[in-house]
Amino acid sequence: MTRAGTAAHGAAAGAAAGAGPEPGQGAGHRTEAGTGNGAGAVDVAGAEGGGAAARTAPGAEADGGASGEPQEKPDSAVIRDALGVGVAVGLSGFAFGVTSAGAGLTLLQSCALSLLVFTGASQFALVGALAAGGNPLTAAAGAFFLGVRNTFYGLRLSQLLALPRFVRPFAAQWVIDETTAVALAQPTRRAVRIGFTVTGLTLYVLWNLTTLLGALGAEAIGDTDAWGLDAAGPAVFLALLAPMLRTTTERAVAGGAVVLGLGFLPVLPGGVPVLVAALAAPAVLWFEGRRTTDPKGTSR
C-alpha cells in the first residue's frame, strides 16, 4: 500500500473507531462523494460525518416523539434526495473496480466483493492491503474492523425502520454510511423507509455495475500503476473522510491515525498499520476526558 493509501485508510480506521452508537458520527460518508466503503457524497455529509446525526432526534420524530407532531416531507423530495446520494456515491464504484484489478484481483473476485461485502471503506482497505503484499487474513481483519461501524448503524436503524422480522436479514445488506445518513435525516417513519430503500437500491445497483466497468476498464488498459490508478483508492478514501472531520476532536483522531499508520508502515506487515491507527480514537478521547475534568472528576 502506498503511504497515501495507508494514511487515508488509517485516518478512516481511526474515525470509524471513534464513531459511537450514534450513526451519523463517523459515517460522514460522504458528502460523499463515501467509505470507510466504507467505503465516502453526501454520506450526506455524513454517512461517514455527523451531518445527518446532528439533525437530532430523528428517532423521536419518526415515532412522533416528545417534540410534537413531525412535519411531513413529500415522498418526491425524499426520493430525490435518496437518488442524489445513491447516484453520486454509486459512481465511485468505478474507482474500486480499477483499484481492485490493480491489486491483482480477478474480475470475478472484484465483483463478488461488491455484491457480498458492499461497504466501500472495507473493500478499499482489503484490496489496498493485498496490493501492498499483506497477508490475506490480516487484510480481511482490517476490512472487518472498518465494517464494524455498520453494526452501530443497524442498532439505530432497526428502531427507525421497524421492519418485519423476515425482511431484516435482507435490509441488513444495505446498512451502510449513505443509507444511514439519508434515513436519519427524515422526519417520519414512512420517509425513513423510503429514503433507506431508494438509497440502498440505487447505490447497490450502481456500485456493482461501476465495479464491473472499472475492473473491465483496468484489464483493458493493462498496468494500472503506470497510469497512476493505484492512487484512486486513497483519493476516494480522503474524499469520503473529509466531510467527517467537523470538530477538533475528529480532526485530532484522524491526524493521530495518520501518524500511527505511517509511523508503523515500515515495520509492520501490510494491513496491520491500519489496525494500529485505530488506537488514535481511544487515545484522543482519553486526553479529552483528562483535559475537561479535574483530578477529582468534576468538570472545570
Side-chain angles (χ1 to χ4, degrees):
M1 190 184 301
T2 62
R3 288 184 175 273
T6 299
H9 292 154
E22 286 300 321
Q25 300 172 1
H29 242 323
R30 310 165 184 176
T31 247
E32 249 192 30
T35 125
N37 352 343
V42 212
D43 198 52
V44 176
E48 274 163 285
R55 296 179 185 170
T56 65
E61 293 178 347
D63 292 327
S67 59
E69 285 297 318
Q71 291 186 343
E72 292 292 332
K73 184 174 183 179
D75 291 351
S76 58
V78 178
I79 293 173
R80 180 195 63 219
D81 294 344
L83 285 175
V85 175
V87 171
V89 181
L91 293 176
S92 65
F94 184 84
F96 171 73
V98 171
T99 305
S100 181
L105 274 68
T106 66
L107 177 64
L108 179 60
Q109 289 171 329
S110 298
C111 292
L113 275 174
S114 285
L115 283 168
L116 302 177
V117 178
F118 188 54
T119 175
S122 295
Q123 291 178 231
F124 276 112
L126 176 63
V127 300
L130 292 176
N135 183 286
L137 292 179
T138 302
F144 174 81
F145 179 84
L146 289 177
V148 166
R149 70 189 188 283
N150 294 332
T151 302
F152 296 111
Y153 301 163
L155 293 174
R156 182 60 172 144
L157 289 178
S158 66
Q159 301 172 4
L160 299 183
L161 294 169
L163 297 172
R165 288 186 179 274
F166 74 91
V167 176
R168 293 177 188 176
F170 302 99
Q173 178 70 354
W174 290 353
V175 176
I176 55 175
D177 297 328
E178 293 76 16
T179 54
T180 300
V182 172
L184 289 176
Q186 308 311 319
T188 65
R189 174 157 290 146
R190 173 182 172 82
V192 167
R193 288 177 171 176
I194 292 174
F196 176 85
T197 303
V198 174
T199 305
L201 178 61
T202 305
L203 184 50
Y204 190 75
V205 171
L206 278 179
W207 180 265
N208 282 281
L209 178 60
T210 53
T211 293
L212 173 62
L213 295 176
L216 288 173
E219 289 185 354
I221 64 177
D223 183 8
T224 56
D225 287 355
W227 294 79
L229 296 180
D230 57 320
V236 172
F237 249 69
L238 292 174
L240 302 183
L241 179 65
M244 298 171 54
L245 309 180
R246 296 176 173 272
T247 68
T248 301
T249 299
E250 290 166 350
R251 296 188 187 101
V253 169
V258 169
V259 171
L260 287 173
L262 292 179
F264 284 98
L265 180 61
V267 297
L268 294 178
V272 177
V274 176
L275 299 178
V276 174
L279 296 176
V284 170
L285 293 177
W286 177 84
F287 178 79
E288 283 291 311
R290 295 276 297 180
R291 188 175 65 84
T292 56
T293 60
D294 62 27
K296 296 182 179 179
T298 58
S299 241
R300 287 178 181 175

